Each structure stands twice: as structure tokens, then as C-alpha cells.
Amino acid sequence: MADLPTLHLPALAASFTLADAYLLVSPWKPVLFLLPLLGWGMIITRIYDKHAAQFHLGRRGWNILHVTAGAVAFLAGFLMPIPGVVGLIVGLAVQCAILGIDLAIYPLKANKDERVPEAHKVKIDFSAAKEAKRKKAEAKQLGTSELVVRGPDKVPVAPPKADSPEFAVRLGAEQIIIKAQAARATRFEIAPAGKDNAYRVVHTVDSLQVPAETLPAAQAVPLIDMWKSMAKMDVQDRRKKQSADATIEKGTEKHTIRLSAIGVQGGMKLSGVFDPRTAVRRKTADLGFLETQQAELEKIIAEGTGVVLLAAPAGQGRTTLLYSIIRNHDAYTSNVQTLEFEVQDALEGIRQNVFDPMKEGAEFATTLRSILRRDPSVVGVAEMPDAATALEVSKSEADRVRVYLTLRTDGALNAIMAYAKAVGDNQQAASALRGVIAGKLLRNLCVNCRVPYQPPADLLKKLGLPADKVTQLYKKGGQVLIKNKPEVCPICAGGGYAGVSGILEIFSLDQAARDRIAVGDWNGLRTELRKRGLPTIQQAALRKAVDGFTSIEEVMRVTAEPKPASPAPAKKPDAAAPQKS
């Protein structure tokens, strides 16, 4: 018999290394078996386990069953004796089948338990996952915009698809807002330029209108339509005035825009006001009244009866003046109302009546008369669109109700003259008058770049300022030194001004003043008001310059002598649509 070969076991064991054993199983194969287990485990822990605990369905027993099923499924799949790729596929199928049976058993048993209400029965529904997947796919096709825009319903307006023509329009519409905010505008407007079939974009910066850019109508009209659409306006209606609020978000910044669209000669006009409610939420102490003026204001408010005129040029804070003063009346102990074409902000406790000029048979003066007959304590009239409105105000019971009437005019004396002209009878106009407040907005010098200088004596003499007390004034700069190199000021963008403040004049009207008004003695009224020693608008502006808040150039611009209103009686036209403040 031939000699048999000798088997040396230690030598064989030494040649069989750990690395050789590791290569017997591919490293990616266990991962394939773990993936179904992960999905199964999430359903068990996040849904089934919490459901069993909530309704006391034997949580411990179910968990033992689930763990057992999971272990069996993994071992059955991973240890499948069939070699090769076929064995891998069969093993995965067996594992998924066991896990699926385990997932199906729980709802079948739990839903039959009387302790589980109908609304809380376990339902396996993949439609939500499919819907989420569909939305995700659609979102990938949408373009990326810089702003998040929400309409009046607060729902985000999704940007169009990136390859659509509407996407370019959306980006252009956003750029209108982005550029306006970069310029520190409080308002913007897109309107026909009046020639070459073009539209002009205008920013209102520190109360001044600043031309921004010119666009062809073919580009501007789609931008207007885009904003109308995002604000849920009727895009097809190109005549009627429409207004709506939209919200824009960029990073952590969030702003409200009050959009207004209306048909005008040559096309459409779209205007937008940034954060309109914030603009009118000011206390009277923050409006710019000087100390002596504040005392006069408190005196007028305390009297509580008669007519008080509130005057300011267009866009110079007239609505803010009305809202801040009317808030000084206690709306919970007295009947306070307003009559407005458009509410700028909600006034707590105050009934704000909105006049709709499109309503058939509507007349502003008639609506006001109806309000005055409801026995109010205070009425704020936000517009004087016609002479009939002024006449109704003059007929109010001076000893019973306080009426604040706003006028779009310049200066206290001009306001009285314009009111008397509208009433058509000086004596009638004078009978109920108790006070007048007029204001304007003045640009503030940028404190980052303003330039101090010593004013010449002749300038101080011309302005009526004492040379021994005013040794320094300021003028606008626009540049700052950065590393000894002049650069455009980052605060005011080189304009030299940043922000606005109010300058006002206020006079209570006693019997002597009313007598002057009754006979149309306007020069005598001017003299009567000067006797009070209260600051005029020009004097208030000079105080701002002396204190370093503004420049003499700005004072001269703002306080240029306005053309006086004609005191002649006026005809009483039909009700007209209001102009914007």
C-alpha cells in the first residue's frame, strides 16, 4: 500500500489568515440586507411602537415579535444557501417578504381591537410619499429666485420653471424691489413716461422722488402684471384701481409692500409702499414738535370740540399726523371714528369707515354727514376731495364733536384760506375752527459724513440767527476717508442725507383769530398768529439746522415761500377720487 500523505494541521492553520476569511463575503452584500431592515425599523419605532403604547395593545409582546421577525428575516436572507447572484436576489426577496408580513400583521390585529378609535386605526398609505416625491421633482424644475414672495393669503408664490419665459419676468419683478430697497426707498412707482412708449421707475427716497431707470413698455407691462398676479389682483382688469398687500422675504429680512395698480393715460401704473403700517405708527412726541408746540398740541386735544385742520403737502406725512393725533383720544370712553378712502393701519378701538368711490350713488360728503349724525365724539376725515366735504365739516356741532380735517396744502395760513374757500362762506368756516397744524418733512444730514463749517456773519444775519451763539453749522458730505482715501459714504450712498424728520407749526384759534377769518383779513390773521410767539415751519427748520440735524440748503429748499391760496369763494364740484398722501 502506498504511503498516504501526511496532513500537517498547524501548517494549514498558519496559512489561513484573517484577511482570507474576510474576502469570503463581499463587503457590500451585508449593506444590501441592512437597507430593508432600516426602513422596517423606522416604521416599527416611529409608528407601531408609539401606537401600541398609546392604546395599551401589549407593547412588550409586539416588540418581541417584531425583533424576532427582524432577526429571522436577516438571517434567512443573509444565510441563503444558494450560491452566486441568484442566491443574493432570493435572499433579499425572502427577507423583504418576512419583514412585509410582520408589518402587515400589526395593523390587521390592532385595527380590530375595540380600544383603537376609528380615527386612529393604522393605515398603510403610500400616496403621501408619492405626492411628496412628485412635488420634490417639480421643485427641481422651478427656478431659484432671490425673494420669497407671499400674497395676501400668506402662501409663498412659487417661481416659474427655470426654462420658461415667465421666470425671467419674475426675476425682473424682484429686481424692481431689490433696487428700490438698495436705494433706501420708502416707495416705488412704475408708470408711463409719456413718450417713446416707455415706462419710468421712480423711487421715493427721504421724501424726494428720484428717477431710477427707464424700461420699454414690452418689458414694464409684464413686470406690472407679475406683481398683480403675485398679489392676487385681477390681471385682466387694466382700468380699475386695485390694492393688496404682499410680503417679501430675503434671508432674515421681511417687509410688507402695499401694492396699488390703476389704469392711467398711456398704460398702467403700479406703486408700492414699503411697510406702510410702520410709517404711520408714531407718537405725537416723535413727530418733531418743539417743546412749546407740544404744549399747544396738548391744549388743542384737551379742548376736544370744534374743527382742527391738519395740513401737509402730498407725501409729507399728512396721514401719519392724523393717525398719531387721533390716537391721543381715548377710544374706549368716547366714540372715535374716521372716514378714509384706504385704511393705512388699524387703529385700536376706533371705527374706521372706508369710502368706496366705485359704489353707485356714493358721495364722500354724504357719508361724512351720516357719520356726524351718529353722535360721535371725535371724527378724523382723511381727505377733503370736494367743497361739499368742507361744508359738512363746517356745519358740525362745534360744542359737541371734534373733527380733524386733513388738507393737501402748505402751511397753517394757507390751510385756513383753502378751507374757507372750499366752504364758500368765511363766517361759516370760522365759526367752528379751533386750531390748525401744518407740517413738512425735512431730510436729515447723514451723521457719518456731514461736514462742519463756520457760517459767515452775513449768512447768519440773513437767517436771523445770533452770530455769538451759532458758531458751527453742518453741510452735506457724501464721502468718508477710508485708509486716507475718499470713498462714497456707505450709509447715505453718497447723497449726504439719510432719513427724514418733521417740522411743524401749530396754532390754537381763539375768538380774535376767528374774527379775522370771518372777514377774510388774512394779513391781520398772520399778525394775530405771530403774536403767540410759537415757532413757524421755517423757524422749526432753522432749529434743526442749528442743532446739526440738517443743512441750511435743505432748510431753504423745504421752506421756500409757497404760493398763497386764493381766498375767493369756490364752486362746489362733484365728489372726486382722492389723491395719495
Side-chain angles (χ1 to χ4, degrees):
M1 174 180 271
D3 294 334
L4 292 173
T6 303
L7 182 61
H8 299 284
L9 290 177
L12 179 62
S15 65
F16 188 75
T17 65
L18 182 61
D20 296 329
Y22 178 78
L23 293 174
L24 292 176
V25 177
S26 299
W28 54 268
K29 289 182 180 179
V31 175
L32 290 179
F33 289 95
L34 286 175
L35 289 177
L37 281 172
L38 289 176
W40 165 84
M42 290 176 65
I43 296 175
I44 296 298
T45 56
R46 295 185 180 184
I47 301 176
Y48 288 6
D49 182 55
K50 293 180 179 179
H51 187 268
Q54 182 178 2
F55 298 104
H56 307 287
L57 302 180
R59 179 185 182 190
R60 180 182 178 85
W62 277 111
N63 284 340
I64 292 174
L65 176 63
H66 293 320
V67 171
T68 302
V72 171
F74 179 78
L75 293 174
F78 189 70
L79 300 179
M80 181 61 58
I82 303 175
V85 177
V86 174
L88 178 66
I89 295 173
V90 173
L92 282 173
V94 171
Q95 182 189 50
C96 291
I98 296 173
L99 296 177
I101 292 172
D102 178 61
L103 291 177
I105 290 175
Y106 180 81
L108 288 175
K109 299 291 291 183
N111 290 345
K112 294 179 181 179
D113 198 298
E114 296 179 352
R115 291 170 290 183
V116 181
E118 183 66 31
H120 293 276
K121 293 186 181 300
V122 180
K123 298 177 182 178
I124 301 178
D125 185 7
F126 296 102
S127 60
K130 291 180 180 178
E131 180 65 16
K133 185 177 180 180
R134 182 186 67 80
K135 289 183 177 180
K136 188 175 181 180
E138 289 183 353
K140 287 183 178 180
Q141 296 180 355
L142 296 178
T144 303
S145 59
E146 291 190 55
L147 301 179
V148 176
V149 181
R150 300 177 188 269
D153 55 4
K154 305 303 180 185
V155 177
V157 181
K161 293 182 179 180
D163 58 351
S164 68
E166 291 79 9
F167 180 64
V169 177
R170 168 68 181 260
L171 293 184
E174 291 185 8
Q175 283 302 309
I176 294 292
I177 303 300
I178 293 171
K179 291 177 182 178
Q181 290 191 309
R184 297 187 303 105
T186 54
R187 176 189 174 96
F188 73 90
E189 182 178 283
I190 311 173
K195 59 180 181 179
D196 301 329
N197 197 28
Y199 276 67
R200 183 173 55 196
V201 181
V202 177
H203 297 159
T204 299
V205 182
D206 296 334
S207 76
L208 290 182
Q209 289 193 332
V210 180
E213 59 182 316
T214 301
L215 303 172
Q219 181 180 351
V221 172
L223 297 183
I224 294 175
D225 287 343
M226 175 62 73
W227 275 113
K228 289 175 67 176
S229 173
M230 291 192 290
K232 310 302 180 185
M233 299 183 195
D234 184 355
V235 178
Q236 302 304 319
D237 191 336
R238 300 183 178 275
R239 288 185 62 255
K240 186 175 66 177
K241 180 179 179 181
Q242 302 181 69
S243 298
D245 286 357
T247 304
I248 58 168
E249 300 173 16
K250 185 177 181 180
T252 58
E253 290 188 26
K254 183 177 180 181
H255 298 277
T256 298
I257 309 178
R258 180 157 295 158
L259 296 166
S260 295
I262 190 172
V264 296
Q265 185 176 359
M268 287 189 300
K269 181 176 77 172
L270 177 74
S271 60
V273 180
F274 293 102
D275 301 315
R277 295 179 182 86
T278 304
V280 296
R281 288 178 183 173
R282 296 198 180 189
K283 297 179 180 179
T284 52
D286 300 326
L287 294 181
F289 288 105
L290 302 177
E291 188 175 346
T292 53
Q293 293 177 326
Q294 188 70 32
E296 188 79 350
L297 175 64
E298 293 170 2
K299 173 184 173 182
I300 290 175
I301 293 175
E303 185 178 8
T305 56
V307 177
V308 176
L309 305 178
L310 308 178
Q316 295 285 300
R318 186 167 47 96
T319 303
T320 303
L321 182 61
L322 172 64
Y323 275 36
S324 62
I325 289 178
I326 209 165
R327 281 192 178 103
N328 282 270
H329 293 274
D330 190 344
Y332 295 99
T333 59
S334 55
N335 181 0
V336 183
Q337 301 191 39
T338 66
L339 178 58
E340 309 172 61
F341 279 92
E342 185 177 354
V343 172
Q344 301 300 315
D345 187 26
L347 300 172
E348 186 177 355
I350 295 174
R351 179 174 180 178
Q352 294 175 270
N353 301 279
V354 179
F355 176 75
D356 182 4
M358 304 304 294
K359 189 176 180 180
E360 186 177 354
E363 292 185 6
F364 196 84
T366 304
T367 306
L368 176 58
R369 184 192 311 150
S370 174
I371 293 172
L372 290 171
R373 287 177 176 175
R374 299 174 195 164
D375 196 29
S377 305
V378 180
V379 177
V381 185
E383 297 283 350
M384 192 182 77
D386 51 30
T389 300
L391 188 59
E392 288 298 333
V393 170
S394 70
K395 291 179 180 178
S396 61
E397 299 180 41
D399 59 346
R400 182 185 63 83
V401 60
R402 162 58 55 84
V403 178
Y404 293 103
L405 174 64
T406 71
L407 295 89
R408 195 183 307 273
T409 189
D410 190 342
L413 185 60
N414 272 344
I416 296 172
M417 294 167 67
Y419 172 65
K421 174 184 175 181
V423 172
D425 183 333
N426 290 342
Q427 190 168 358
Q428 173 76 26
S431 62
L433 275 177
R434 296 294 182 269
V436 58
I437 306 171
K440 289 183 175 181
L441 295 179
L442 186 81
R443 291 184 298 169
N444 297 329
L445 283 170
C446 175
V447 296
N448 192 52
C449 65
R450 63 182 181 178
V451 179
Y453 70 98
Q454 184 177 355
D458 58 338
L459 175 63
L460 295 176
K461 183 177 179 180
K462 182 180 178 180
L463 296 173
L465 297 175
D468 58 331
K469 294 183 179 179
V470 181
T471 58
Q472 179 175 274
L473 294 174
Y474 289 86
K475 59 184 177 181
K476 72 172 185 177
Q479 291 185 328
V480 291
L481 289 176
I482 299 178
K483 295 182 179 180
N484 295 323
K485 181 182 178 182
E487 299 280 355
V488 173
C489 176
I491 304 300
C492 65
Y497 296 93
V500 295
S501 55
I503 48 173
L504 301 109
E505 57 186 12
I506 176 171
F507 303 100
S508 59
L509 300 175
D510 56 14
Q511 189 58 52
R514 288 194 291 272
D515 289 342
R516 300 286 188 182
I517 297 170
V519 297
D521 183 4
W522 308 116
N523 288 329
L525 177 61
R526 180 184 286 107
T527 302
E528 189 70 34
L529 297 180
R530 284 178 177 174
K531 289 179 182 178
R532 313 287 179 81
L534 291 167
T536 63
I537 284 180
Q538 185 178 40
Q539 290 168 336
L542 284 172
R543 178 76 65 84
K544 295 278 188 181
V546 170
D547 291 341
F549 291 110
T550 193
S551 66
I552 294 298
E553 291 77 16
E554 178 68 1
V555 170
M556 301 301 290
R557 181 190 72 82
V558 172
T559 62
E561 190 68 25
K563 294 181 180 180
S566 172
K571 293 181 180 180
K572 301 171 185 176
D574 295 333
Q579 296 173 318
K580 288 292 289 180
S581 297

